[in-house]
Amino acid sequence: MQIKLSKLSPFNRLRKPSRIERNPKLKYSLILAVLLIAPYLLTFGVEFIQRRSIHDTLNWMTVHSNLLNLNVLIDFLIVVFVYCLLGSLIPSLAVTSLLLVLGSLISYFKIKLIGVPFFPWDLKMNKEVVDILPLVMNASMLRYIVVLVVFIGLIFLMRLLLPRFSLPLITRISVGLVSLLLLYLFAIKIPPVKWLMQKSQVSNILWNQQQNYSLNGQSLAFMMNLQNSKMPTPDGYSEASIKAIADKLSTQSLTASAKVGGSIPATTKKPNVIFVMNEAFWDPTLMTNVTFSEDPVPTIHQLQKETTSGYMLSPQIGGGTSNVEFEVLTGDSVSFLPNGAIAYQQYIHKPLPSLASYFSGQGYKSLALHSYVSYFYNRENVYKYLGFESFKSSENFINPEIKGGFIADDEFSRNLIEEVDKTEDPMFIYGITMQNHGSYEGKTRYSNLPIKVKGNFTPAAQQLIDNYTQGAHDADHGLKLLIDHFKQSAEPTVIVFYGDHLPMLGFDYDVFHQSGFVQSGKPEEWSLEEIKKMHSVPFVMWSNMDLPNKSFPIMSNSFLGAYVLDALNLKMPAPFAANFEVSRKVPGLISNLVIDADQKLYAEVPEKDKAVVEQYKQLQYDELFGKKYLADFIDQDYLNKGPNPKYNVEFKK
C-alpha cells in the first residue's frame, strides 16, 4: 500500500521536510502504529468515562481481555472507516474520538439519570434530544463537554505538526467498504462472528442493559443491540398455537358481562372515558423520613379513600413516557421487547389496534391530548396508527398558561374540559401533561414554593425535592379541576389518573437515596422490594356514575385498559380479554420484576406462571411482528382496523 503525502500545511512550508516525510517506509510504519494503538486508547477512554476509575477500567481490561479485544476490534474498524471517508489521519482520529467519547458521555448521563445506557435507536430521537438537552444540562455535564472539546481541539492541533497521510482514492474506497462490511457482519452476527463471541465468552444480557454495557464494554454492547432492534420469533409461535388461544378466548367468560367481542348496548348512555397520564407524577409523602408543611397531594389522598385506586407497576424510571402510553393503549408489554427499547420509535409503523380504535368503533370520538410538541416520540404518526381521530398538541393551545417552564397542568385540564364540552359524541381521551417534567433544578423554576419540605438532604437534593413537590401539588390541583367540573356535568364520565414513572431526582437517584426510600443509589444493588417501590406509581379512578370501588396493590400498565373495560362492563376485544386473564395470575410484570397473585416478588417469571406469560408473549408478537394469525380467528373488525380517515383534520386546518 502506497502512502502519499499531501501538500504541506502553511506551518510545514516554513520548515525543512522531516525525516518522516523523506522516508515512505517510516511513514507507513507510523500510520500503521497509530491505527493499531489508537483503538486501545479510545477503548480505555470510553470505558473510563463509564467506570470513573482508572483502577476499575484497567481491572476490566485485564480480567476481561477477551472482551477488551472485541471492543478494540470494533473501534479499529470505525477508525479505519472514518479514515477512508475523510482521507486524512489526524482529523479522522479526532472525529472518531468525538463520536465514541460523545456516545460514552451520553450513556454515562443516561445511566445516572434514568438507569439505562445509550442505545442504537436513540439515534432516531434527534429532535427529542435537542429539546431534552436544556432540561438535563448542568454544571457537571458542562465540565465534561468542555474537556471533550479541548481534547478534540488538541488532536486537531497535531495536524499542524504532522503531515497529512492520505491514501489513493481506490485504496480508500476498497478498504473503507471492507471495514464497513465487517462492522455490518459483526452487527448481524454471522456464524463466524457468533463463534468468535462464544470463544470470547460474551454474554448478551438483554434484561439488564446497564450490566450488559458494564460487562461487555460500550462498543460491543452497542453493536449487539443493533441486532436487538429485530425481534426474534418466540418458541412455539405458529398459526396453530394462535388458533388454540383464539378458541379459548372465544368460549371464555371473564366476568358476567366482559365477554370477548361485542359492543356497548345501544340503549346505554355512553360515558366519557378519560385517561390522564400526568408527567412523572408520584406521591412524595411515601418518603417516610421526609416531612411536609402541608399535604402536597390532598385530592389523590382523598380519592384513595373513596374510589377505585392502587399502584401501577411502570416499566420506566425517570423517562420513557411513551412506553407507558404504549402499554396502556395497546395492552402490550415492553417487558417482551429489548431492554431500553422505545416502541413508538422502533416498532409502530403500521396500524395497531388500541383503546383508541376500540372506542372509535363504539361511536366515540377518540382524542389524544398532550401539552407538548407533536413530533416528540413520533406521536403525530403513531397516534394515527393507533386509531385516534384527533391529536391536540401544544401547537394547538392558544395563549396557554406556563408554569415551571411548561404548559401548566391547570391549562391542560381547561383544554380537556373544552374539548369534551364542544363535542356531541361521547369521548375517549388519552391525555398527557408536561408541567412536572424534569429537570427539577433551578431556584427560579417556580416563583413561590409554599410547601416546605424537610429531610436530611444536601442543598442540591433539597432544591430538587422542593421543585418536584410543587409540581406534584399542581398536578393534584389539575385533577381537582377536572373532578369539580364533571361533578356538575350531566354527562357520565370516568377519569383514570396516574403517573407514567417516578421522577428523575438527581444523579444516582440522590433524593430517593438520601431520604432512605432506597438504601443505595445503584439499581443493581436494589432488593426486589426496592425495585417494586421505584417502579410503583399511584393511580385513581373517579366517576360521576355509580361504579364499585376496588383496591389494587399492584397492576402493570399493560393491564389497566382491561380493568377499565371490566369496571365499565364493556365487552373486551380479544387482546384485552387475554390480558385480563394474565393479570389474574401475574398482576405485576416488568423486565426485572414479576409479582404473582399472592403479591410474591420474583426476579423472573416463576415456573407456575410461565405458560400464561408465554401465551401473552405470543399474542403480542403476532400483533406487532408476526403474521397476525389472531385476526383470522376472532375479533376481525377490531384487529384489522386501519387509521381513522379523518385523522387530525380539525387540528391541521
Side-chain angles (χ1 to χ4, degrees):
M1 181 187 299
Q2 183 180 2
I3 306 299
K4 291 183 178 180
L5 184 63
S6 68
K7 293 181 179 180
L8 295 176
S9 66
F11 177 84
N12 288 328
R13 291 194 192 108
L14 300 177
R15 59 176 175 78
K16 293 181 179 181
S18 67
R19 180 188 173 196
I20 296 174
E21 296 162 0
R22 297 193 304 269
N23 189 335
K25 189 174 182 180
L26 184 59
K27 288 186 296 188
Y28 176 81
S29 300
L30 178 61
I31 195 172
L32 188 61
V34 171
L35 287 176
L36 291 175
I37 294 172
Y40 280 94
L41 296 176
L42 284 171
T43 301
F44 174 83
V46 164
E47 295 305 319
F48 172 73
I49 291 172
Q50 300 301 308
R51 301 168 200 280
R52 307 295 299 129
S53 164
I54 293 178
H55 175 267
D56 290 348
T57 305
L58 292 176
N59 183 62
W60 174 81
M61 296 175 74
T62 52
V63 173
H64 300 289
S65 58
N66 48 349
L67 300 175
L68 165 68
N69 290 330
L70 288 177
N71 281 270
V72 169
L73 174 60
I74 294 169
D75 291 348
F76 169 77
L77 292 173
I78 295 173
V79 169
V80 171
F81 174 72
V82 175
Y83 179 29
C84 292
L85 194 65
L86 299 182
S88 183
L89 181 60
I90 302 304
S92 299
L93 290 176
V95 170
T96 307
S97 300
L98 177 64
L99 293 174
L100 294 178
V101 173
L102 187 60
S104 186
L105 280 174
I106 292 171
S107 197
Y108 172 77
F109 282 108
K110 275 193 70 183
I111 289 172
K112 284 283 187 181
L113 292 169
I114 59 176
V116 292
F118 179 48
F119 297 113
W121 42 88
D122 290 336
L123 297 172
K124 295 181 179 181
M125 299 181 63
N126 50 353
K127 289 183 180 179
E128 288 85 345
V129 169
V130 172
D131 282 350
I132 290 174
L133 197 57
L135 306 180
V136 298
M137 187 65 68
N138 55 33
S140 178
M141 184 175 288
L142 284 172
R143 283 196 297 271
Y144 280 103
I145 292 174
V146 169
V147 170
L148 174 60
V149 170
V150 170
F151 174 71
I152 301 301
L154 290 175
I155 295 180
F156 271 111
L157 284 175
M158 291 174 60
R159 177 67 186 86
L160 299 176
L161 304 176
L162 296 174
R164 178 187 177 190
F165 297 119
S166 63
L167 301 172
L169 182 60
I170 188 65
T171 303
R172 286 173 56 188
I173 293 174
S174 57
V175 174
L177 288 175
V178 168
S179 61
L180 186 61
L181 176 63
L182 290 175
L183 284 170
Y184 173 74
L185 295 178
F186 210 105
I188 65 172
K189 287 198 292 192
I190 61 171
V193 173
K194 286 183 179 179
W195 175 85
L196 179 62
M197 294 178 72
Q198 290 172 356
K199 196 76 174 174
S200 301
Q201 299 178 328
V202 176
S203 298
N204 194 3
I205 311 171
L206 291 175
W207 57 93
N208 188 334
Q209 289 285 358
Q210 187 175 346
Q211 185 180 351
N212 194 27
Y213 277 60
S214 177
L215 174 63
N216 294 308
Q218 175 88 8
S219 296
L220 177 58
F222 186 90
M223 189 67 70
M224 288 192 294
N225 272 311
L226 284 171
Q227 192 183 45
N228 294 336
S229 298
K230 182 179 179 181
M231 287 298 299
T233 304
D235 293 338
Y237 171 73
S238 66
E239 183 176 6
S241 68
I242 298 299
K243 184 179 185 303
I245 296 172
D247 290 343
K248 181 181 177 182
L249 290 171
S250 296
T251 58
Q252 158 181 297
S253 178
L254 298 174
T255 67
S257 59
K259 297 180 181 178
V260 181
S263 60
I264 300 172
T267 57
T268 303
K269 186 172 177 60
K270 297 174 182 178
N272 298 311
V273 180
I274 300 171
F275 285 68
V276 176
M277 187 174 74
N278 192 279
E279 172 61 39
F281 180 80
W282 178 68
D283 183 355
T285 66
L286 293 173
M287 294 184 288
T288 54
N289 297 326
V290 181
T291 60
F292 301 83
S293 60
E294 63 180 89
D295 187 350
V297 288
T299 307
I300 289 294
H301 289 156
Q302 188 64 31
L303 292 172
Q304 286 174 334
K305 298 175 184 176
E306 300 174 350
T307 66
T308 291
S309 64
Y311 287 88
M312 288 172 58
L313 192 65
S314 172
Q316 308 295 139
I317 302 177
T321 298
S322 68
N323 277 350
V324 178
E325 290 178 50
F326 167 76
E327 289 204 337
V328 174
L329 285 166
T330 67
D332 292 331
S333 173
V334 297
S335 304
F336 303 136
L337 303 177
N339 187 272
I342 304 294
Y344 276 17
Q345 296 282 149
Q346 296 170 250
Y347 306 121
I348 304 182
H349 307 296
K350 59 184 179 181
L352 181 66
S354 74
L355 289 176
S357 56
Y358 168 79
F359 279 101
S360 291
Q362 306 296 324
Y364 279 65
K365 177 183 177 180
S366 56
L367 169 73
L369 177 67
H370 187 22
S371 50
Y372 200 53
V373 291
S374 59
Y375 64 77
F376 212 80
Y377 283 125
N378 196 32
R379 286 186 177 99
E380 58 190 348
N381 295 313
V382 169
Y383 286 157
K384 176 179 68 175
Y385 294 131
L386 294 180
F388 280 97
E389 179 178 329
S390 296
F391 173 27
K392 184 176 183 179
S393 58
S394 63
E395 294 95 331
N396 305 112
F397 281 58
I398 300 173
N399 297 321
E401 176 192 357
I402 304 298
K403 194 168 185 181
F406 299 102
I407 292 178
D409 281 3
D410 281 3
E411 180 72 21
F412 168 88
S413 295
R414 289 191 289 268
N415 272 262
L416 190 152
I417 292 168
E418 176 188 343
E419 293 302 321
V420 174
D421 286 350
K422 76 178 186 182
T423 306
E424 293 185 5
D425 292 332
M427 295 195 73
F428 168 74
I429 298 179
Y430 196 91
I432 310 106
T433 69
M434 193 64 183
Q435 180 191 324
N436 206 27
H437 196 287
S439 120
Y440 307 101
E441 296 177 331
K443 295 181 179 180
T444 60
R445 172 153 184 169
Y446 295 104
S447 59
N448 185 30
L449 296 172
I451 302 177
K452 306 305 177 186
V453 186
K454 291 184 179 181
N456 188 24
F457 295 118
T458 62
Q462 184 69 54
Q463 186 181 89
L464 296 174
I465 189 60
D466 287 344
N467 283 327
Y468 178 76
T469 299
Q470 182 61 44
H473 181 67
D474 290 344
D476 185 88
H477 186 264
L479 173 60
K480 184 177 184 299
L481 284 181
L482 291 178
I483 292 174
D484 288 347
H485 173 81
F486 287 107
K487 276 182 179 178
Q488 309 301 320
S489 173
E491 295 188 50
T493 300
V494 175
I495 299 174
V496 186
F497 178 95
Y498 52 96
D500 51 350
H501 51 67
L502 267 70
M504 182 177 65
L505 294 178
F507 290 152
D508 296 324
Y509 308 94
D510 278 347
V511 169
F512 301 106
H513 184 206
Q514 291 177 28
S515 69
F517 191 71
V518 292
Q519 296 305 307
S520 170
K522 299 179 179 180
E524 63 270 23
E525 297 178 359
W526 292 346
S527 65
L528 291 178
E529 186 61 41
E530 287 177 319
I531 293 173
K532 177 185 174 184
K533 288 164 62 176
M534 290 297 293
H535 284 272
S536 295
V537 293
F539 87 94
V540 293
M541 184 168 140
W542 174 89
S543 176
N544 56 11
M545 304 185 299
D546 185 18
L547 294 179
N549 294 336
K550 294 183 180 180
S551 177
F552 295 94
I554 203 70
M555 177 204 310
S556 278
N557 295 324
S558 54
F559 302 143
L560 179 62
Y563 274 108
V564 171
L565 295 178
D566 179 62
L568 295 174
N569 287 328
L570 301 180
K571 297 182 178 179
M572 301 182 192
F576 286 95
N579 285 8
F580 196 84
E581 183 67 15
V582 176
S583 69
R584 290 174 159 183
K585 297 181 179 180
V586 187
L589 178 64
I590 55 177
S591 61
N592 56 346
L593 177 66
V594 179
I595 304 175
D596 70 9
D598 297 321
Q599 299 300 304
K600 292 182 180 178
L601 310 184
Y602 304 86
E604 58 185 27
V605 179
E607 192 66 35
K608 63 185 177 67
D609 295 319
K610 281 186 176 179
V612 70
V613 172
E614 187 59 33
Q615 171 185 298
Y616 184 14
K617 185 177 183 179
Q618 287 208 17
L619 284 176
Q620 177 170 319
Y621 180 86
D622 182 64
E623 186 176 61
L624 278 175
F625 311 106
K627 302 291 187 180
K628 303 195 79 168
Y629 293 130
L630 187 65
D632 294 334
F633 307 114
I634 192 174
D635 245 349
Q636 288 86 358
D637 289 344
Y638 171 75
L639 293 170
N640 290 322
K641 191 180 292 292
N644 192 309
K646 298 188 295 182
Y647 176 67
N648 224 27
V649 171
E650 66 174 312
F651 293 116
K652 287 184 177 178
K653 293 179 182 178

